[in-house]
């Protein structure tokens, strides 16, 4: 089973830049350096990024991900990060239309990965500074905003109560054709809106639901 990789969440100090364009990577390195971020790695596509992540120590605080790349694009990389339980903070960067970028941002949130923001190319220092400040303020001032790798401790009794009170909700993740930006379908993802512990993600309750025999009732709901 793949180990969970986590990052510091906010007050970023290091970044991994994932973009197939050398020019764009160099520009991003310059902008990050101006903001006090050290570039610990560069990757030309998602596959390259995953390979490097498995070898990096320490891992970067932030991933700056372009969407259009050969071999493995940004969307596929984000899906792989979620499947492997790599809870890196993500900043999306793309030259595509705003609607597509927004859809991918929604997808990242649906996966439960920390999303810092989504910016349109070319990357501007002022814009990046603004989203970093906004994210840090959000995570610092709102006690209900937790890092996605903080595990919520729940019990079988909690699950039974959640089923009875219908605390489970559905989030819909769009499936987007990156070639033209069209949405070809959606994937339904379950979330648990706990009245005291806030949003609980599947990794924190699905194994218990399966072990306790409650998964079928949750699925029906």
């Amino acid at each position: 089973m793949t180990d969970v990789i986590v990052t510091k969440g906010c007050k970023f100090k290091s970044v991994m830049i994932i973009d197939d364009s050398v020019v764009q990577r160099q520009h991003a390195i310059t902008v990050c350096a101006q903001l006090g971020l050290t570039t610990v790695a560069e990757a030309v596509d998602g596959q390259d990024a995953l390979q490097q992540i498995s070898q990096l120590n320490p891992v970067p605080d932030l991933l700056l991900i372009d969407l259009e790349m050969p071999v493995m694009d940004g969307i596929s990389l984000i899906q792989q990060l979620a499947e492997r339980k790599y809870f890196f903070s993500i900043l999306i960067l793309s030259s595509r239309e705003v609607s597509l970028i927004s859809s991918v941002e929604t997808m990242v949130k649906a996966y439960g990965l920390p999303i810092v923001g989504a910016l349109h190319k070319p990357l501007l220092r002022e814009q990046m500074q603004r989203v970093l400040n906004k994210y840090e303020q959000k995570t610092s001032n709102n006690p209900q905003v937790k890092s996605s790798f903080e595990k919520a401790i729940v019990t079988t009794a909690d699950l039974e109560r959640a089923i009875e009170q219908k605390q489970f909700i559905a989030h819909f993740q769009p499936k987007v054709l990156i070639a033209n930006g069209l949405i070809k379908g959606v994937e339904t993802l379950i979330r648990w809106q706990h009245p005291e512990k806030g949003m609980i993600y599947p990794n924190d309750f699905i194994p218990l639901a399966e072990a306790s025999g409650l998964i079928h009732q949750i699925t029906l709901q």
Side-chain angles (χ1 to χ4, degrees):
M1 183 176 181
T2 306
D3 292 335
V4 175
I5 291 184
V6 300
T7 60
K8 299 176 184 178
C10 60
K11 297 182 179 178
F12 304 112
K13 295 181 180 179
S14 60
V15 62
M16 180 180 199
I17 299 170
I18 308 164
D19 195 314
D20 62 314
S21 168
V22 176
V23 173
Q24 295 290 346
R25 288 203 308 274
Q26 290 302 315
H27 174 65
I29 289 172
T30 300
V31 171
C32 289
Q34 292 171 344
L35 296 176
L37 289 165
T38 301
T39 301
V40 298
E42 300 175 51
V44 298
D45 57 46
Q47 184 172 295
D48 183 25
L50 290 173
Q51 183 175 359
Q52 291 193 53
I53 286 170
S54 66
Q55 300 171 351
L56 287 174
N57 186 22
V59 294
D61 298 321
L62 177 68
L63 299 185
L64 202 161
I65 303 178
D66 182 33
L67 294 184
E68 292 186 280
M69 296 179 288
V71 183
M72 181 185 290
D73 60 37
I75 293 176
S76 298
L77 170 59
I78 291 166
Q79 292 171 336
Q80 284 294 313
L81 291 172
E83 290 178 7
R84 300 184 186 203
K85 300 181 182 178
Y86 286 0
F87 294 110
F88 288 98
S89 294
I90 294 172
L91 178 60
I92 298 168
L93 185 64
S94 178
S95 58
R96 292 301 301 269
E97 57 273 16
V98 175
S99 59
L100 175 61
I101 298 174
S102 179
S103 295
V104 177
E105 186 175 10
T106 300
M107 179 189 78
V108 177
K109 292 178 181 177
Y111 272 129
L113 299 176
I115 177 70
V116 176
L119 298 176
H120 199 273
K121 287 184 177 181
L123 178 62
L124 301 177
R125 183 182 66 179
E126 294 77 13
Q127 289 181 331
M128 186 169 177
Q129 180 72 76
R130 187 161 55 248
V131 298
L132 291 177
N133 289 344
K134 183 177 179 181
Y135 182 75
E136 183 172 337
Q137 183 179 16
K138 177 182 177 182
T139 54
S140 298
N141 296 341
N142 189 344
Q144 295 206 354
V145 177
K146 301 178 179 179
S147 335
S148 61
F149 52 84
E150 290 184 53
K151 297 299 182 183
I153 301 175
V154 296
T155 65
T156 301
D158 291 327
L159 285 174
E160 292 173 340
R161 191 178 305 110
I163 294 171
E164 180 181 351
Q165 297 179 0
K166 301 187 183 302
Q167 295 174 2
F168 297 103
I169 58 176
H171 282 199
F172 299 97
Q173 172 192 305
K175 290 184 174 293
V176 181
L177 295 172
I178 199 167
N180 53 25
L182 295 178
I183 296 177
K184 65 175 182 177
V186 296
E187 179 179 355
T188 305
L189 304 169
I190 189 171
R191 297 291 182 265
W192 180 358
Q193 187 61 59
H194 195 284
E196 297 174 355
K197 300 176 181 179
M199 188 70 74
I200 302 178
Y201 294 98
N203 289 339
D204 296 329
F205 68 87
I206 291 297
L208 177 61
E210 292 175 336
S212 61
L214 296 171
I215 189 65
H216 182 59
Q217 295 179 60
I218 293 175
T219 301
L220 288 177
Q221 187 174 120

